[in-house]
Amino acid sequence: KALQIAEKLKDARVIIEREMGEEGKLFGVVTSQDIVREIERKFRVRIDHRKIELEEPIKTIGIQEISVKLHPQVKITLPVEVKKKKE
């Protein structure tokens, strides 16, 4: 099952839009739960948020490479782009 999920997500890119303050800072942060929700919504794949290896929540705009440990022997890298929410 982990290999099937890895295959589905191998070329995936997760995009999360957030509102920004005047100084270019995010309102709030992006957590592993936010990333899992977006993966489920966009790719119809369920992943436990604890499988997302995120040392701390994302606080800035841009692209970060996130590791997802689907199984002890199956690990993928997933680009997560955080960008400004369109008004």
Side-chain angles (χ1 to χ4, degrees), residues 1 5 8 17-19 22 27-28 33 39 56 58 62 65 71 78-79 81-82 84 86:
K1 188 173 179 179
I5 292 171
K8 254 189 173 175
E17 294 184 346
R18 287 286 191 261
E19 293 195 17
E22 291 179 19
F27 285 141
Q33 286 96 342
I39 290 171
E56 60 182 39
I58 300 171
E65 298 288 324
H71 183 272
L78 193 63
E81 181 179 358
V82 180
K84 183 178 180 180
K86 297 175 185 155

Side-chain angles (χ1 to χ4, degrees), residues 10 26 31-33 39-41 65 67 71 86:
K10 72 176 181 179
L26 291 179
T31 65
S32 59
Q33 286 96 342
I39 290 171
E40 188 172 329
R41 185 188 72 76
E65 298 288 324
S67 292
H71 183 272
K86 297 175 185 155

Side-chain angles (χ1 to χ4, degrees), residues 10-67:
K10 72 176 181 179
D11 296 321
R13 180 184 197 129
V14 176
I15 299 173
I16 298 177
E17 294 184 346
R18 287 286 191 261
E19 293 195 17
M20 289 180 58
E22 291 179 19
E23 298 173 8
K25 294 186 179 180
L26 291 179
F27 285 141
V29 294
V30 175
T31 65
S32 59
Q33 286 96 342
D34 296 320
I35 295 168
V36 167
R37 267 194 300 273
E38 188 60 23
I39 290 171
E40 188 172 329
R41 185 188 72 76
K42 189 172 182 183
F43 303 103
R44 304 283 186 252
V45 173
R46 278 205 135 118
I47 299 174
D48 185 325
H49 74 92
R50 294 174 293 220
K51 304 281 185 189
I52 305 287
E53 295 182 344
L54 192 61
E55 289 181 22
E56 60 182 39
I58 300 171
K59 301 175 185 176
T60 58
I61 294 288
I63 300 172
Q64 291 193 23
E65 298 288 324
I66 304 297
S67 292

